[in-house]
Amino acid sequence: MEPMQEELMIDGGFGGYGARPGDPDAVLAGLDPEQRAVATALHGPVCVLAGAGTGKTRAITHRIAYGVRTGVFQPQQVLAVTFTARAAGEMRGRLRQLGADGVQARTFHAAALRQLQYFWPRAVGGEVPRLLERKVQLVAEAAGRSGLRVQRTELRDLTSEIEWAKVTQIVPDDYPVAVLKAGREAPRDPAEIARVYATYEQTKRDRNVIDFEDVLLLTAAILEDRPEIAEQVRAQYRHFTVDEYQDVSPLQQRLLDQWTGAAVGAGAGLCVVGDASQTIYSFTGATPDYLLNFRTRHPDATVVKLVRDYRSTPQVVHLANGLLAQARGAAARHRLELVSQRPAGPEPVYTEYPDEPAEAEGTARRIGELLAEGVRASEIAVLFRTNGQSEVYEQALADLGISYQLKGAERFFERPEIREAGLLLRGAARAVGDPLTADAPDLAAQVRAVLATRGFTPVPPAGSGAVRERWESLAALVRLAEEFEAGRRAAGEPADLAAYVAELDARAAAQHAPAVEGVTLASLHAAKGLEWDAVFLVGLTEGTLPIIYAKTDEQLEEERRLLYVGVTRAREHLGLSWALARSPGGRAGRKPSRFLDGLRPGSAAGAGRTGGRGGAEGGAERSAGRRAARGPVKCRVCGRTLTEAVERKLRRCEDCPSTMDEGLYERLREWRSRRAKEQAVPAYVIFTDATLMAIAEDAPSNVAELSRISGVGALKLDKYGADVLSLCSGEDPEVERAAEPDDPSAEVVADLTEDES
């Protein structure tokens, strides 16, 4: 036997079936007709289009076991690859139960690393470079060596960009053009990211280390450059199975092509399985194109569709099908119409709440009822779009004594930014006469002032990623301060910073209690591949799902698929909810997600928000003239790339000379004060000081110029644009308004608690 074969067979050898195939028909027992078609398709390329809950893992593991038992497959010649260690472990377990325990089941990276370690001495010489398990520290060093000031919260976004570039096979010099071509919103100036990327790669070479993407790159390169090694791999592995094929990246496909080589055309097996409607990781470089175009690449492929849903009730499946029926694009054209195989269950429940705390409390109460009915806590999940939404549900469950576990993210009070904020707030609470909070009119303003020392502003940062998640976490502390103060005042008790810090400490202590059997709290991304008896999909409002920074048609469709994944996690009970306001007493201006139009009671399909681009403010933004996607912002004075939120808003460094019209700025402040008083809201809800300064510096003369100013979103443009432009032209909007006849229909309904976009 070749040494290569011995090396790659450490996991269990032939399992007895190399000499004695066993009873093939026993493997097919219990499979439905479509699953049986998969299991018996042992020759030539095979494509399995498998809907959620249709038993795809059962089908492909039985296919492998059937191939082994019939003698068509030798166990040591089968390689099954998937995307997570958990999925690979589950596949190995099932194969062992089916008597095919000699089969290799690994992640892409694990399989590639094993081959790289085996072939490196022969192909390159010496030992394999050390594997860098966490690249953030090296990215930070590369940024510093590139002359960039990078905040700690930006490092994860920079790291993600480098990972995206590598899995899509983009070299540093090509990164700026590739970002533009892909319509990707980079977290910094693409030229700066390219510089950090290049420095990062050079630093790795200098230190003889590689990252996980390099494992795939180097393995593929060795197989491409050394035909004799490629042939040895192809002689070892004759049958390949790829799970979750809709999530494969260009780099993974490149490696897969080297593994299969000409062997596929010669009759060896390539079996891929996936569902384009569950593509939710395109931001990492994953693409469903290879799945959708499989028949084009392999015209003789056998295609089997699995649509019998064994997971969910007909009521849940009906909603899932309805959700995809409104989808658009290539993935939607290949959607699968699921057919439930389960008895009827309860209808999905749609619930509208006045505010987020009420939504969390209502969800927790319903969970309590399910627990009383006998549903296990571990069979219940609350799923949300962003990790920043978790805190209010953590608290609501803790208040009812319901244990929970947070999946895919740190607990709210364990997040680095929350720990740091707690220290700052605690220090400010102890300080006597702290000038930082002395002029703040209320508790929430004091909290904002303290957090501002670490870069927090009322304006959320552009785009997604770690910076946005950090902002969401800190914003949750501000909202908590507002709610805490309102509650204390209603009870006639003082609400100072010290009391608020004590409340934070008490909440943190309560939520660190161990949970053995707990409700799962998870983001929709983290829920992929899991299932529960009862699922609550919460926060389903415009701006959250779809997320506000989803602008293009493709991004919006991925948001729809994300909701589809959430719906199909539920076996029986499904709740969908949204809140009209963020905080108690806030203006009820939010709208339920467009994806529910035509599905929830009382709504019509395509209710003015489903078409085209425009993110969370679709029609309003288009009526104002679509703003260009945000990119790097340069200082208008010195040309430096700006990173701080306030500087980006002003489009200049804080220490560069200002061109602000002081008179206009004062008129804007006076007008804002009047409008805030009329609407009984804080002045910053109209526009922040930084936005007013930006307006006073630019003095826009038309709607298009005003809409380009950061902080002037579509809704605010509709509501306040005319007044602001009048002030900029030297006119008094109050005089103009007094001269106009009353017209109640002219009032624009807007969410005054909206964060400025």
Side-chain angles (χ1 to χ4, degrees), residues 151-481:
Q151 297 181 10
R152 178 170 54 85
T153 52
E154 292 182 280
L155 286 175
R156 199 175 82 185
D157 294 340
L158 277 176
T159 302
S160 296
E161 282 301 295
I162 291 173
E163 290 172 350
W164 173 79
K166 296 187 73 167
V167 301
T168 52
Q169 304 182 89
I170 297 166
V171 297
D173 288 347
D174 295 340
Y175 173 80
V177 174
V179 166
L180 184 63
K181 184 177 180 181
R184 188 176 178 88
E185 188 170 321
R188 288 186 69 120
D189 184 338
E192 293 179 338
I193 295 177
R195 195 158 70 244
V196 175
Y197 179 14
T199 305
Y200 168 77
E201 291 295 304
Q202 184 59 52
T203 303
K204 286 197 291 95
R205 287 192 291 270
D206 293 343
R207 298 182 183 174
N208 196 35
V209 297
I210 58 175
D211 58 28
F212 281 103
E213 290 72 42
D214 292 328
V215 170
L216 303 182
L217 279 165
L218 292 170
T219 304
I222 288 175
L223 297 180
E224 290 165 353
D225 295 342
R226 299 291 296 271
E228 76 281 7
I229 293 178
E231 286 305 315
Q232 188 174 348
V233 171
R234 294 165 193 163
Q236 171 69 49
Y237 294 123
R238 302 287 299 170
H239 310 281
F240 298 86
T241 299
V242 185
D243 194 12
E244 303 289 357
Y245 194 55
Q246 78 279 351
D247 289 331
V248 76
S249 70
L251 177 55
Q252 289 165 330
Q253 182 63 46
R254 175 183 169 188
L255 178 60
L256 180 61
D257 287 342
Q258 288 303 311
W259 283 343
T260 58
V264 173
L270 170 61
C271 176
V272 300
V273 57
D275 179 9
S277 296
Q278 296 188 67
T279 304
I280 59 173
Y281 292 107
S282 63
F283 60 93
T284 67
T287 172
D289 291 349
Y290 300 111
L291 176 65
L292 298 178
N293 298 327
F294 192 81
R295 281 291 296 271
T296 302
R297 299 187 70 192
H298 305 283
D300 59 336
T302 299
V303 178
V304 183
K305 295 182 180 180
L306 302 182
V307 297
R308 300 175 193 249
D309 188 323
Y310 296 95
R311 175 188 299 159
S312 304
T313 63
Q315 287 74 15
V316 173
V317 167
H318 178 72
L319 174 56
N321 287 336
L323 191 59
L324 286 189
Q326 301 179 16
R328 300 293 181 268
R333 289 193 294 272
H334 293 80
R335 63 180 174 267
L336 300 170
E337 187 85 8
L338 299 178
V339 181
S340 176
Q341 305 299 298
R342 293 193 56 186
E347 291 289 339
V349 177
Y350 300 84
T351 311
E352 184 174 276
Y353 292 94
D355 51 65
E356 286 183 4
E359 183 180 12
E361 292 164 7
T363 302
R365 283 196 301 272
R366 178 58 185 142
I367 288 173
E369 294 170 359
L370 289 174
L371 293 173
E373 294 170 9
V375 180
R376 294 176 54 189
S378 59
E379 290 295 344
I380 302 174
V382 179
L383 307 181
F384 31 75
R385 176 61 179 83
T386 67
N387 289 326
Q389 296 171 262
S390 72
E391 192 275 337
V392 67
Y393 292 93
E394 294 178 51
Q395 185 59 46
L397 292 170
D399 287 346
L400 294 183
I402 298 174
S403 60
Y404 64 87
Q405 53 182 333
L406 193 60
K407 179 177 179 56
E410 299 157 299
R411 292 177 180 271
F412 181 81
F413 287 102
E414 293 177 1
R415 297 172 190 168
E417 63 269 22
I418 297 301
R419 291 201 300 268
E420 181 184 30
L423 293 174
L424 293 172
L425 291 168
R426 194 171 291 109
R430 288 196 298 263
V432 179
D434 188 345
L436 189 64
T437 59
D439 296 330
D442 53 35
L443 176 60
Q446 292 176 5
V447 173
R448 279 193 294 272
V450 173
L451 299 183
T453 63
R454 291 300 182 269
F456 176 77
T457 70
V459 183
S464 60
V467 174
R468 179 71 182 225
E469 289 180 7
R470 178 179 185 273
W471 184 89
E472 294 284 2
S473 294
L474 297 179
L477 287 182
V478 176
R479 295 195 298 271
L480 194 60

Side-chain angles (χ1 to χ4, degrees), residues 636 648-652 658-661 664 668 691-702 704-710 728:
R636 67 174 91 190
R648 290 171 64 91
K649 183 183 290 292
L650 296 175
R651 292 193 295 116
R652 64 170 174 82
S658 171
T659 59
M660 184 174 68
D661 183 334
L664 174 58
L668 288 166
T691 299
L692 294 187
M693 290 174 65
I695 293 171
E697 290 197 0
D698 282 8
S701 60
N702 54 53
E705 292 177 0
L706 179 58
S707 69
R708 284 194 288 268
I709 295 175
S710 176
C728 291

